[in-house]
Each structure stands twice: as C-alpha cells, then as structure tokens.
C-alpha cells in the first residue's frame, strides 16, 4: 500500500494537521496553487488577477518526516486538496487528533499522492499536477518599505469583521502624525472611518516615516482577513508604490511557527 | 448640536435604534433645546415611534444657537444607522463614549464611537432630507391606562404564535384578555385560537374607565416590548376605544419612548360588513392574496387609506413641518379608502338619506358579484356579522332597520347568484390524458387498434418485499 519512498523526489509526513489545514484554507481564495518544496519546507502560493498573491509557509520542523531529493515545484488544485483533508475535519479539529497525512511526488508529469490515515483506515488521494504557470514576484525590499506596523490580531479582528461590505474600496492611511492609522470605507450606509491607536498594548511596533494614503479593493482585502482568525500576530507593510503586505504568524498546537503572507496591489485610479 | 453618550447608556440608544428599525425604513433626528428625539413612522403611517433622550441621558449636550434651531433636523436611512449599532450587546462592553454631531445644513450626520481599546470609529451618515416629523396625539387626555412590567407582557405574548399579525386586547375592569385576531375570511376550523387572561393584579397600575376591545399589529408591539425588556422598565398602555390609536410608553427621568399604533376600526369594518362591503374587503384581500401578500384584509384597507393620507402629507411637505395624518386626530377613525370613505361618511353622517344608501349598496352589490365567492364564505360572514353587531351597539347602522333589509337582500341574492355563476375550478391538467388521449376514450379497444398490444416488453418489476 505505502509506496516505496525511494522512487519519489519528495516525501513528507504531517502528524498534526489542524494548523496546516487552517493555513491552506486561508490562502484558498482561488483554486489553483503552486507548491514549492525546498529545504526550508513547503510553500503554497495562490495568485489572483495578477494583483494579489498569498503564500502559506510550512517550515520543515512542522513535518514529522521531510525527504527531498531535489527542490520541486508543482501546481495542483488546492480546492481538491483542502476538500480531501476536510473530510476528516471533525477529527483533525479535536484535541486528540489521530489523523496523519503523507505526501508523495515523483516529479514533473506525475500526480501528487496523498495518504490520509485515520485510526488505521487509509485514504489514498491522487491529485493531478498541472502545467506550471507564471507567478509574479511580489516582494518588498527593506529599503522600499515606508511603513511597518506589527499588531496583535485581536485588535484587527473586530475592526475588519465589521467592515461595511457594500463599500467597493478600502482606504488605508498610515501616518507619523495623527490620525496615525486609519481605515476608511464608503458604502451605501455612509462613510465610516476607523482610527486605530498607535500606542495600545496590542500594537507591538509602529514605524511610520511618511504619510501614505492608498486604496485597495475590499474584495482583495477580505480574503487576506481569513488568516486573522488563526494567527497571533500580523505585520503590515507598505512601500512607496502602495503595495501592501500582510504577514501573519501562526502558531501550531505543538508550538512551531508557520507564516501566511499576502501581497495586495493598490488601486491606482479611484474616481 | 453635539452630544456625548456615556458608555453605560449606549446600550439604551442602540436598543432604541433597533426598535425604530422594526418600525420604519427612515429615522428622523430632531435635536431640541434640552433633548433629542429619534422618530420613525412605518410605510403605512399606522405605526409611529418616538424616542426622546433628555439632557441628563448625555454626559454632554449642547444644542447650539437659537437661530440654528430650524436647520437642526434631519432624516436618515435606518440602514445606515444600523451599521453603527450593529451589535448592541457587544457595544456596551467595548465602547467608552459615543459622540453625535449635527451641523446646521450639513449633508452628513456624524456618529463617533470611541472604543475602550482606543479604536475610534467615525460614521458619516448621509442625510436624506432636512425635515421633521411628529405625530399629534395627546396621551394625557386618555383616561384608560395600564402599566405593567415588560416581563409580564413578554411572557403573555410568547404564548401566541410567532407569525401572528394582529392581537386583540379586551379590557374589562377586572382583567385583560389577549387573543389572536381572526379576521372573518379565515376558515375557523383551521385556526388556533388563543385566549389569555391577565388579572388586574398582574399590572402595576390599572385604570380602566370604559370597557373596550382593541386590535393592533403585533410586529410593533414586539419591537417596543423587546426594548422595554432590554432596559428592564415597565410599559404603559394608553388607549381609548377601537379605532383610536393605542399608545405604549416607557418613561424614565433620562428618556422617554412612545409608540403609537393605529387600531382596527370596528365601525369601518362593520360598516363595510353591513353593506356587503365586507365581501369587497374580502375581495380586496383576495387580490392581495393573489399577489402573495400575507397582509390581512384589515391591513389592506389600512394601507390604502394611509396612502391617501400620505398624499396629503406630501402636499404638506412644502411647509417643512409634516404631521403624519393618519395618526393625527380623527383621521385614524376614517381608516378606509376613498371608495369606502363615502360609505363611512354616510354611516357617520346621520342626515344621509336612504336613497343614496340604496344606490351605494347596489353599486357595491354589483361589485361583489364580480367576484366569485363560495356560498360557504358568505355564510361565515353572516355568522361573523352577528358577532360583530353585538360589539357595535353604538354603530349607527344597527339602528337602521332599512339598512338591515337591504343587507339581507344582498346576502340572499349573493348566495343564490353565486350558485349560478360560480364556475367549477378547472380540473387539474393531466398531461398523460392529453398525450395518450385516444387510449382514454371509451371506444378505444387495444385488441383491434393496436397490433402487438399483448406483447410484454418489460415485465412488472418485483414488488418490494422486506
């Protein structure tokens, strides 16, 4: 039943799946994902409309077993992967989870095989890999970063949950002077401006050098909020073009740290 | 105008807004010298709510200059304000203060919520119109008054079905009987009837001078009851007779809530009943039912009038101060549309001669015949009339024998006529019959007409056995 591990370029085994499934779900706003297996771990990247990109990083120490002959890149349907894992969600989500998953990948042209084991019952899933597409290289160089804020997620959770859904855009103002950090929406119900404090206990660092005002589509921000619910900390950075980066720090039950990252490009012309 | 609501009081404001949202789609904000009022009226102008918060409700209240007085009022959409007070329960714990600002001739009403974790949310709510609305009623002049703890009434109301539209309250010097309102169009065998008697000892204050029975909408009552429960205060009920508005009040030193509901006017209903217009009303309802509307006939009638009064309100718009006409004075009594208005006036005005009445009822009779009523329903109406007539001793009609006869005539002819004219409903369309038409004809004989008819292509499937 269990394939011979030597035939495969990439073999990985996961014991505690709860956080991993949460990470996968939080980047699953589009169905196609590109996975990178490197010596550091597994990175799953999802891109939408060439203007937003999300990546989930699962470091090596989260895996019970991580064997890599050479670096691999494969593209799969993330919906299918998440659905397969979610069949066992009630068990995965419980404290004494006994679900384990093992991933095998032979190389280009081969499917990714996933074995999910629950109490001795093995489910064998085979995910077709797809032709690799082009991925945009979003990155923020340290020298381009205008503003950087590190927050406890609790502060943002309530604020973003209550955002006016009828608004098409969301405006973000970061400034070294008052009002420091402001989120504005303009929907059917009227305009709403939310000002967040700079010096609260929940704000770990607030580094703003210049006043930056940028506008994003609410539809792009919404998926980036999904990770708020499983994350502990979030860092927000913007550069001089207005490119926004959210970096979430997610702690697994065993104490390891995973990351989820979102890049969102701004709306340049708002009429 | 600028005011600040302290954190502990925000819940009351939030609940008040939620109550207003159950009544109307728009909210009128009207700051005054020492208080601020939030009002709402429903589309049909049959329900009106006014929440007035006095100066001492706020930690800071400034009205502004006297010359600004006329410009400080506005109308906003309920939807927009609901965005501010989405979660009344959570607000209480998280919000420190709430600032409300209204500038003269502004286009936005500003609500600012300051949270305990230093977040500030500023809502700029678009002002739809700069106008004022106030219903005219005088609860001091009303002699009948009941006061009860909201809990008692909530428990009482909970015994009724959730989808109940109207509630009838019968008030006697000893007790109050609540029952679900059943309009005559319903088949009695299909309805659950609920009666609930509340002894006068259940009430804090029981002042009833005249016995009366009133019927009003449940939706608004639930809204004000929920508010009363959330603030833990007792609810006062002021009422006169059926057809006159009933006023629910909650009063404290810092705020006051009044909800005025129009009550069903038995004079009007019975007048229509008597002149066979009850059928008309029914047919009205039928029309409504066709439109899949669940409003009761009484509502339909109400709504129509109200539309009329709305028109009058519109014209009154020019003079910036609008008063909702339906609640105003006697207008409530004449809750009936233009057509039937002539009827009501006729009934009320004793001087009208029989000739007109005859004409009128004939016209109505004709109208009735346009609708296909089943004989059984007309019977139930007759039955209903007999009940109604008991309640309507004061009604002008009961003193008019002539009226009765013509009424009888109508009913009789109605019944007989109905039997002739009512066509049977068409049989349900059966596709099979139209497709295999020939097979169902009596002359059809498969032995002659169909070669190979006895050849079985597929055996009957086995019967399911367990």
């Amino acid at each position: 039943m269990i394939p011979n591990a030597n035939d495969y370029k990439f073999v990985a085994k996961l014991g505690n799946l709860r956080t991993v499934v949460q990470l996968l779900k939080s980047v699953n706003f589009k169905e196609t994902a590109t996975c990178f297996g490197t010596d550091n771990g597994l990175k799953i990247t999802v891109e939408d409309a060439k203007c937003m990109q999300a990546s989930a990083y699962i470091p090596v120490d989260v895996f019970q077993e991580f064997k890599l002959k050479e670096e691999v890149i494969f593209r799969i349907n993330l919906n299918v992967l998440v659905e397969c894992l979610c069949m066992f969600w009630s068990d995965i989500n419980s404290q004494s989870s006994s679900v384990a998953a093992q991933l095998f990948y032979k190389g280009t042209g081969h499917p990714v095989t996933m074995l999910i084991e629950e109490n001795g019952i093995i489910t064998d899933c085979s995910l077709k890999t797809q032709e690799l597409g082009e991925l945009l290289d979003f990155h923020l160089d340290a020298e381009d970063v205008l503003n950087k804020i590190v927050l406890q997620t609790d502060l943002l959770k309530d604020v973003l949950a209550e955002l006016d859904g009828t608004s098409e855009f969301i405006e973000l103002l970061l400034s070294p002077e008052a009002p420091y950090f402001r989120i504005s929406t303009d929907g059917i119900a009227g305009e709403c401006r939310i000002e967040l404090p700079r010096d609260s206990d929940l704000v770990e660092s607030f580094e703003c050098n210049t006043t930056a005002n940028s506008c994003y589509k609410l539809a792009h921000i919404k998926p980036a909020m999904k990770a708020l619910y499983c994350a502990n900390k979030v860092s927000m950075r913007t550069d001089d073009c207005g490119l926004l980066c959210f970096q979430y720090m997610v702690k697994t039950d065993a104490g390891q740290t995973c990351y989820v990252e979102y890049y969102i490009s701004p709306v340049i012309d708002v009429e | 105008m600028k005011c600040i609501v302290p954190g502990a009081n925000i819940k009351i404001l939030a609940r008040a807004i939620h109550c207003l949202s159950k009544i109307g789609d728009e909210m009128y904000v009207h700051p005054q010298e020492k208080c601020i009022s939030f009002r709402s009226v429903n589309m049909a102008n049959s329900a009106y709510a006014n929440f007035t918060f006095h100066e001492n409700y706020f930690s800071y209240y400034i009205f502004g200059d006297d010359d600004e007085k006329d410009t400080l009022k506005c109308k906003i959409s309920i939807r927009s304000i609901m965005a501010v007070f989405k979660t009344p329960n959570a607000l209480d714990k998280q919000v420190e203060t709430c600032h409300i600002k209204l500038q003269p001739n502004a286009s936005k009403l500003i609500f600012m919520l300051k949270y305990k974790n230093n977040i500030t949310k500023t809502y700029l709510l678009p002002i739809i119109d700069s106008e004022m609305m106030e219903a005219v009623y005088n609860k001091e002049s009303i002699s009948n008054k009941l006061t009860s703890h909201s809990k008692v009434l909530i428990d009482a109301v909970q015994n009724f079905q959730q989808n109940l539209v109207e509630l009838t309250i019968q008030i006697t010097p000893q007790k109050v009987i609540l029952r679900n309102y059943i309009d005559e169009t319903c088949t009695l065998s299909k309805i659950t009837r609920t009666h609930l008697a509340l002894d006068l000892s259940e009430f804090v204050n029981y002042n009833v001078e005249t016995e009366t029975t009133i019927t009003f909408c449940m939706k608004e009552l639930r809204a004000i009851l929920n508010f009363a429960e959330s603030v833990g205060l007792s609810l006062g009920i002021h009422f006169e007779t059926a057809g006159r508005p009933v006023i629910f009040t909650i009063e404290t030193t810092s705020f006051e809530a009044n909800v005025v509901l129009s009550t069903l006017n038995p004079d009007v209903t019975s007048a229509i009943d008597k002149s066979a217009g009850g059928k008309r009303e029914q047919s009205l309802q039928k029309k409504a039912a066709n439109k899949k509307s669940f409003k009761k006939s009484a509502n339909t009638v109400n709504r129509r009038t109200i539309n009329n009064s709305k028109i009058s309100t519109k014209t009154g718009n020019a003079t910036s101060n609008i008063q909702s006409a339906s609640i105003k004075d006697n207008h409530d009594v004449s809750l009936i549309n233009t057509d039937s208005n002539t009827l009501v006036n006729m009934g009320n005005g004793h001087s009208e001669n029989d000739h007109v009445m005859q004409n009128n009822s004939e016209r109505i009779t004709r109208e009735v015949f346009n609708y296909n009523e089943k004989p059984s329903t007309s019977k139930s109406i007759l039955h209903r009339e007999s009940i109604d007539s008991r309640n309507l001793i004061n009604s002008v009609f009961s003193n008019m024998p002539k009226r009765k006869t013509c009424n009888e005539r109508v009913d009789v002819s109605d019944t007989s006529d109905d039997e002739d004219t009512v066509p049977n409903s068409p049989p349900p369309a059966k596709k099979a019959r139209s497709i295999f038409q020939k097979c169902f004809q009596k002359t059809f004989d498969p032995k002659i007409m169909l070669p190979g008819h006895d050849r079985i292509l597929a055996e009957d499937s086995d019967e399911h056995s367990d």
Side-chain angles (χ1 to χ4, degrees), chain A residues 155 158-159 162-163 166 188-197 200, chain B residues 79-80 83 86-87 94 108 117-126:
Chain A
L155 192 66
D158 298 335
V159 170
E162 280 194 33
L163 280 184
T166 60
I188 296 168
E191 228 177 298
C192 176
R193 293 181 194 146
I194 304 163
E195 280 160 30
L196 288 100
S200 156
Chain B
R79 260 189 79 178
S80 62
K86 234 180 254 166
T87 46
Q94 298 170 354
K108 302 272 164 110
N117 52 8
N118 282 331
I119 293 176
T120 315
K121 287 191 188 178
T122 313
Y123 294 87
L124 303 157
L125 311 180

Side-chain angles (χ1 to χ4, degrees), chain B residues 183-194:
Chain B
D183 73 325
E184 54 268 42
T185 53
C186 301
T187 331
L188 287 171
S189 58
K190 284 181 187 163
I191 307 170
T192 314
R193 284 198 277 180
T194 316

Side-chain angles (χ1 to χ4, degrees), chain B residues 281-297:
Chain B
E281 194 186 304
Q282 263 197 322
S283 48
L284 271 181
Q285 197 211 2
K286 276 211 159 175
K287 277 191 217 156
N290 284 343
K291 287 179 208 154
K292 307 233 162 121
S293 155
F294 285 94
K295 293 280 167 195
K296 295 214 171 169
S297 61

Side-chain angles (χ1 to χ4, degrees), chain A residues 139-146 237-238:
Chain A
H139 65 274
L140 282 174
D141 290 327
E143 60 265 29
D144 292 338
V145 173
L146 281 185
R237 288 177 300 160
T238 58

Side-chain angles (χ1 to χ4, degrees), chain A residues 112-132:
Chain A
V112 174
T113 310
M114 183 168 61
L115 300 178
I116 307 169
E117 193 232 295
E118 183 197 29
N119 300 326
I121 301 164
I122 295 171
T123 311
D124 187 343
C125 315
S126 180
L127 307 172
K128 276 183 185 155
T129 49
Q130 302 168 359
E131 199 70 35
L132 286 173

Side-chain angles (χ1 to χ4, degrees), chain A:
Chain A
M1 190 73 201
I2 293 176
N4 182 5
N6 292 328
D7 298 347
Y8 295 89
K9 276 188 185 169
F10 170 60
V11 178
K13 193 179 174 191
L14 282 160
N16 195 337
L17 285 165
R18 204 168 82 97
T19 315
V20 174
V21 174
Q22 278 175 339
L23 288 180
L24 294 178
K25 274 181 169 177
S26 61
V27 296
N28 188 20
F29 55 89
K30 278 278 157 185
E31 66 173 15
T32 313
T34 310
C35 306
F36 301 86
T38 63
D39 291 332
N40 297 324
L42 190 65
K43 172 183 159 193
I44 297 119
T45 303
V46 181
E47 199 175 270
D48 182 23
K50 304 261 179 223
C51 56
M52 80 172 287
Q53 193 182 66
S55 305
Y57 296 91
I58 308 165
V60 175
D61 58 352
V62 175
F63 292 92
Q64 287 182 346
E65 193 187 318
F66 195 86
K67 281 184 192 156
L68 199 67
K69 280 191 184 157
E70 56 185 272
E71 293 197 350
V72 288
I73 306 176
F74 52 90
R75 205 158 115 144
I76 51 162
N77 186 326
L78 189 60
N79 286 7
V80 177
L81 177 64
V82 170
E83 267 172 42
C84 287
L85 289 167
C86 282
M87 288 192 285
F88 306 95
W89 180 243
S90 58
D91 194 354
I92 289 172
N93 200 21
S94 69
Q95 279 300 319
S96 54
S97 168
S98 57
V99 183
Q102 205 165 1
L103 286 170
F104 301 92
Y105 180 58
K106 236 177 204 168
T108 318
H110 291 274
V112 174
T113 310
M114 183 168 61
L115 300 178
I116 307 169
E117 193 232 295
E118 183 197 29
N119 300 326
I121 301 164
I122 295 171
T123 311
D124 187 343
C125 315
S126 180
L127 307 172
K128 276 183 185 155
T129 49
Q130 302 168 359
E131 199 70 35
L132 286 173
E134 200 182 320
L135 273 185
L136 291 177
D137 178 25
F138 281 104
H139 65 274
L140 282 174
D141 290 327
E143 60 265 29
D144 292 338
V145 173
L146 281 185
N147 303 305
K148 186 180 173 188
I149 307 170
V150 181
L151 300 165
Q152 299 277 334
T153 49
D154 290 334
L155 192 66
L156 276 180
K157 257 184 217 168
D158 298 335
V159 170
L160 295 168
E162 280 194 33
L163 280 184
D164 180 4
T166 60
S167 173
E168 196 188 347
F169 300 106
I170 174 168
E171 204 184 305
L172 203 69
L173 179 94
L174 292 166
S175 163
E177 293 139 37
Y180 308 113
F181 183 9
R182 190 173 73 192
I183 301 169
S184 323
T185 55
D186 189 2
I188 296 168
E191 228 177 298
C192 176
R193 293 181 194 146
I194 304 163
E195 280 160 30
L196 288 100
R198 180 182 58 156
D199 44 7
S200 156
D201 295 342
L202 298 172
V203 180
E204 295 208 348
S205 86
F206 191 92
E207 294 164 27
C208 277
N209 305 318
T210 32
T211 303
N213 201 357
S214 41
C215 203
Y216 306 91
K217 274 206 153 192
L218 188 61
H220 290 159
I221 297 279
K222 277 269 158 84
M225 298 300 116
K226 275 193 189 165
L228 267 180
Y229 297 94
C230 54
N232 310 81
K233 265 188 217 174
V234 55
S235 116
M236 278 175 69
R237 288 177 300 160
T238 58
D239 73 353
D240 44 5
C241 306
L243 183 67
L244 174 68
C245 173
F246 284 103
Q247 227 168 42
Y248 296 95
M249 198 174 91
V250 186
K251 282 250 189 283
T252 63
D253 295 335
Q256 300 104 340
T257 317
C258 302
Y259 293 93
V260 186
E261 197 174 58
Y262 294 87
Y263 284 101
I264 300 156
S265 38
V267 180
I268 307 290
D269 258 333
V270 187
E271 290 305 316

Side-chain angles (χ1 to χ4, degrees), chain B residues 183 185 268-269 272 276-305 335-341 343 364 367-368 370-373 381:
Chain B
D183 73 325
T185 53
V268 174
T269 0
I272 299 167
K279 308 253 168 51
R280 234 178 119 260
E281 194 186 304
Q282 263 197 322
S283 48
L284 271 181
Q285 197 211 2
K286 276 211 159 175
K287 277 191 217 156
N290 284 343
K291 287 179 208 154
K292 307 233 162 121
S293 155
F294 285 94
K295 293 280 167 195
K296 295 214 171 169
S297 61
N299 271 358
T300 329
V301 177
N302 269 353
R303 187 137 295 177
R304 284 172 142 244
T305 24
L335 278 177
I336 194 77
N337 63 14
T338 19
D339 269 41
S340 27
N341 229 335
L343 259 177
I364 286 154
E367 270 177 58
V368 169
N370 291 338
Y371 295 99
N372 302 325
E373 295 284 359
I381 279 172

